[in-house]
Amino acid sequence: MLNFTLQRIGKAFVVIVGVIILNFLLIKLAPGDPAAILAGEAGSGDPQFVENLRRQFGLDQPVPVQLWNYLSGVLTGDLGFSYRNQVPVLDLILQRLPATLLLTGAAFVFSLATGMLFGVLAARHRGTVLDSMITTLALIFYATPLFWIALMSVLLFSINLGWLPPFDMETIGAGYTGWRRVLDIAHHLILPTVTLGLFYTAIYTRLTRASMLEVMGLDFVKTARAKGVPGQRIIRRHVLRNAVLPVFTFASMQAGQLVGGAILTETVFAWPGIGRLMFDALMQRDYPVLLGVFLITAIVVVVVNFITDLLYRVVDPRIGIS
Amino acid sequence: MQFIKRFSQNYGAVLGLIILAAIVFLAVAAPLLYPGNPWKTVGMPLLRPLQDAKFLLGTDMLGRDIAAGIAHGAKVSLLIGVVSTLVAVLIGVTIGAVAGFYGGRVDDILMRFTEFFQIIPTFAMAVVLVAIFSPNFISITLAIAVVSWPSVARLVRAEFLSLRQREFVQAAVVIGQSGPRIILTQILPNAVSPIIVTASLMVATAILTESALSFLGLGDRNMMSWGFMIGAARTMLREAWWMSFFPGFAILLAVLAINLIGEGINDVMNPHLRGRKQ
């Protein structure tokens, strides 16, 4: 167990360093000099000023040296300074990370729960109206652009019906505290969560349904039925337990992709998370922030993968630790 | 013939084919149906759909015809979807085939490389690539290809790993055929059907990614696209729902059609799975 953990941590470390280097070099390929752009926006074309900026951010050194400085900084927890905001990148990210984790976590749970529920329902009632309704809806949501769903649900639920707030994470200036605040945030969370999650709900529905149907055809299910095990119990204890594995595999791969989707959701709903932070940093050529967000996302993905690897052994005891 | 017969038994796939044919027709006929530049003001701003018979789907805040935008945008979406998928398949097949065929150290290195690309969230990566190399047709196409090849590589590698053990491949080795020749003439033709199925579904994903990119303002500024129209309509949501509704619906239809076709192809090419559907 310990050996396994150490091995995984070593591998994860290599992957993360690789991701950092890849992103760093990618950003160095970008045309345009951040220092010149910053100077231009400050209203100064003075070469001396640009030179100062360049020195201040260490951009005057050769790329390998910059990379080395960045890497050794990262190892000591220093992700550099934001060109724009003049605060450490790490502070900026940590300030925004909870909002994204809340949103993606909620979307993940929402999509997994609803997707499996619909998948089980469809498989149980295969060939009925319910089944075709669920599969058709899944097919449609699988094809719908996330940002369009977001806009259309704002149109329906915020503008026309007035049920849900169209943007922000909490009511600005309301000054709620305690449970009142939690409720307020939960109220704001509904639309972003559902719109971010629906696409994955569709995927989980299809996966669960297909996987359930496959397991339902196996011999041990027939045996259980022949023994007279009640139908509900067969679905729950015999079929679902075995059908859940492919869903689980997919869910672990999806964790990182949710963060990508969060860029769109956070943009539409003005959600103060790292997806939005990344996009703004990119547009403003604030590269240390961009690199930092990528690093944090990679770490989150690696951690999630590690947890799912461990959970695999709980879900399916046949898989040994090796 | 057998293929067409089986395919046409799948009503969903036939429906998808009809929708896609309509969209392709729209894309090809756009210069005839809506001559002139879709970016140009042609009528009163913010006309509701059907308010003016000339503008079936209404106009936007600058008086541009929404229907014209959708017709011209169809070309961009389909083109980027198809071309980026072709590039992704090319990269994925090359890497997957080499890794699966040669195995060992080569396989290890190539698969680690593939893993890197899978750790980074694909959409975030595409956004960064397009923004860094300034948004145009080529950078968008390549960015989508770069983020979508890993799944092809893994699929092809798995196929190659199992096919490599088969007798006909060993026979080719024995008679002294070279590695590249075995890959191209012996194994690849046998691995083609899962690649086609994956590729057809990837076109749909590519269209979604392209629309999301141009929604964020990272589209090619010289080409009208569906995502751009929705992005531009965002601030007008309260006043003009039709500006964002119709382009989004067009994306939905296109992606749905391609998914249906992909599933139809899958059903035909993997007959052993067909029992599950009944």
Side-chain angles (χ1 to χ4, degrees):
Chain A
M1 181 68 204
L2 185 71
N3 206 356
F4 169 78
T5 311
L6 283 178
Q7 216 180 341
R8 281 305 302 257
I9 290 175
K11 199 179 152 198
F13 183 77
V14 174
V15 168
I16 286 174
V17 170
V19 168
I20 295 175
I21 295 175
L22 195 75
N23 287 321
F24 192 88
L25 296 179
L26 184 67
I27 278 165
K28 285 296 154 199
L29 281 177
D33 176 3
I37 291 164
L38 276 178
E41 280 179 11
S44 162
D46 181 19
Q48 185 57 44
F49 181 61
V50 177
E51 201 47 51
N52 281 345
L53 277 177
R54 213 171 270 148
R55 188 159 332 119
Q56 187 190 338
F57 296 125
L59 294 169
D60 53 344
Q61 282 157 332
V63 171
V65 178
Q66 287 184 39
L67 176 60
W68 175 249
N69 287 342
Y70 185 72
L71 268 178
S72 49
V74 168
L75 290 181
T76 56
D78 173 19
L79 300 187
F81 261 85
S82 158
Y83 295 158
R84 297 275 158 175
N85 305 311
Q86 299 298 327
V87 287
V89 170
L90 192 62
D91 293 359
L92 210 56
I93 292 178
L94 288 183
Q95 194 190 331
R96 298 281 205 109
L97 191 60
T100 296
L101 288 182
L102 179 66
L103 173 61
T104 48
F108 184 71
V109 172
F110 166 80
S111 56
L112 200 56
T114 51
M116 283 179 60
L117 177 72
F118 290 139
V120 169
L121 276 177
R124 256 201 76 118
H125 302 276
R126 176 165 65 160
T128 63
V129 182
L130 184 69
D131 180 25
S132 17
M133 251 170 58
I134 290 176
T135 40
T136 309
L137 277 179
L139 206 58
I140 289 174
F141 282 115
Y142 186 59
T144 317
L146 197 155
F147 54 91
W148 187 66
I149 292 251
L151 285 179
M152 291 301 112
S153 49
V154 165
L155 187 66
L156 181 62
F157 295 108
S158 304
I159 295 178
N160 285 335
L161 296 172
W163 289 350
L164 296 165
F167 45 76
D168 285 328
M169 191 169 141
E170 50 189 319
T171 314
I172 303 285
Y176 294 133
T177 50
W179 282 108
R180 188 71 190 80
R181 182 164 180 237
V182 172
L183 276 179
D184 187 44
I185 292 180
H187 193 210
H188 282 78
L189 188 62
I190 297 173
L191 270 188
T193 302
V194 173
T195 52
L196 180 57
L198 267 179
F199 177 76
Y200 299 102
T201 298
I203 296 180
Y204 293 135
T205 303
R206 291 155 59 102
L207 262 176
T208 310
R209 179 178 178 276
S211 178
M212 291 275 294
L213 289 184
E214 200 162 306
V215 176
M216 276 156 94
L218 295 180
D219 286 343
F220 73 92
V221 178
K222 278 191 201 116
T223 311
R225 196 161 286 142
K227 277 198 309 187
V229 182
Q232 286 285 349
R233 201 177 149 86
I234 294 182
I235 294 289
R236 229 176 335 114
R237 306 257 342 216
H238 294 79
V239 183
L240 189 57
R241 278 204 171 184
N242 286 290
V244 87
L245 269 182
V247 180
F248 198 74
T249 309
F250 196 81
S252 72
M253 286 183 345
Q254 226 49 45
Q257 305 308 329
L258 270 172
V259 180
I263 299 177
L264 290 165
T265 324
E266 289 175 5
T267 303
V268 175
F269 292 104
W271 191 264
I274 59 167
R276 189 68 207 153
L277 180 70
M278 191 213 105
F279 189 65
D280 289 341
L282 181 66
M283 290 296 121
Q284 301 169 336
R285 298 187 184 268
D286 197 348
Y287 293 138
V289 177
L290 186 62
L291 281 174
V293 173
F294 264 124
L295 174 64
I296 299 293
T297 334
I299 292 176
V300 170
V301 173
V302 167
V303 169
V304 169
N305 284 349
F306 180 66
I307 295 174
T308 40
D309 260 14
L310 289 181
L311 280 180
Y312 250 121
R313 288 155 181 86
V314 180
V315 177
D316 188 351
R318 283 169 301 185
I319 298 174
I321 293 172
S322 56
Chain B
M1 263 344 273
Q2 191 75 25
F3 181 90
I4 295 170
K5 196 180 155 202
R6 281 206 197 133
F7 188 86
S8 57
Q9 280 164 356
N10 185 334
Y11 297 126
V14 173
L15 179 70
L17 208 56
I18 294 171
I19 299 175
L20 186 67
I23 296 171
V24 170
F25 172 76
L26 195 65
V28 174
L32 297 172
L33 291 172
Y34 301 96
N37 192 340
W39 299 87
K40 248 176 61 186
T41 299
V42 287
M44 293 285 288
L46 294 182
L47 285 175
R48 296 180 148 275
L50 296 176
Q51 193 179 340
D52 183 334
K54 251 172 76 192
F55 306 114
L56 209 58
L57 305 181
T59 57
D60 71 1
M61 66 279 191
L62 296 174
R64 298 180 288 211
D65 188 356
I66 302 280
I70 288 181
H72 285 269
K75 188 182 69 188
V76 177
S77 291
L78 294 180
L79 213 57
I80 289 186
V82 171
V83 176
S84 64
T85 300
L86 287 180
V87 178
V89 167
L90 198 69
I91 305 173
V93 167
T94 311
I95 290 187
V98 170
F101 183 75
Y102 291 105
R105 184 70 57 83
V106 180
D107 181 30
D108 254 3
I109 293 172
L110 286 177
M111 281 302 111
R112 282 294 110 76
F113 183 66
T114 312
E115 266 173 32
F116 280 146
F117 279 88
Q118 292 196 310
I119 290 272
I120 306 171
T122 52
F123 184 64
M125 180 84 169
V127 166
V128 170
L129 283 172
V130 171
I132 283 181
F133 296 105
S134 74
N136 57 50
F137 182 83
I138 294 174
S139 71
I140 296 169
T141 310
L142 286 182
I144 297 176
V146 163
V147 299
S148 34
W149 67 264
S151 58
V152 184
R154 294 180 78 103
L155 173 88
V156 172
R157 171 179 174 266
E159 286 289 317
F160 268 61
L161 276 180
S162 78
L163 286 171
R164 191 182 55 167
Q165 309 299 334
R166 300 273 283 273
E167 273 114 4
F168 69 92
V169 176
Q170 284 168 359
V173 174
V174 169
I175 62 170
Q177 283 191 351
S178 67
R181 181 156 177 205
I182 298 176
I183 289 177
L184 286 176
T185 63
Q186 305 288 352
I187 308 185
L188 198 55
N190 286 293
V192 109
S193 72
I195 297 175
I196 289 179
V197 172
T198 314
S200 61
L201 296 174
M202 274 168 68
V203 175
T205 317
I207 291 179
L208 280 180
T209 311
E210 187 277 329
S211 70
L213 284 171
S214 45
F215 171 75
L216 287 175
L218 293 171
D220 190 325
R221 276 301 149 88
N222 299 313
M223 298 195 284
M224 182 56 88
S225 95
W226 295 338
F228 168 80
M229 293 172 76
I230 302 174
R234 238 183 89 198
T235 49
M236 303 296 292
L237 193 59
R238 200 175 284 272
E239 295 84 1
W241 57 268
W242 58 91
M243 276 174 61
S244 42
F245 177 80
F246 292 115
F249 196 67
I251 301 173
L252 168 60
L253 280 182
V255 175
L256 185 66
I258 295 170
N259 281 339
L260 285 170
I261 295 171
E263 282 187 7
I265 299 176
N266 190 22
D267 281 359
V268 178
M269 290 196 159
N270 302 315
H272 59 281
L273 291 179
R274 211 172 312 131
R276 271 205 244 163
K277 289 246 162 175
Q278 288 150 11

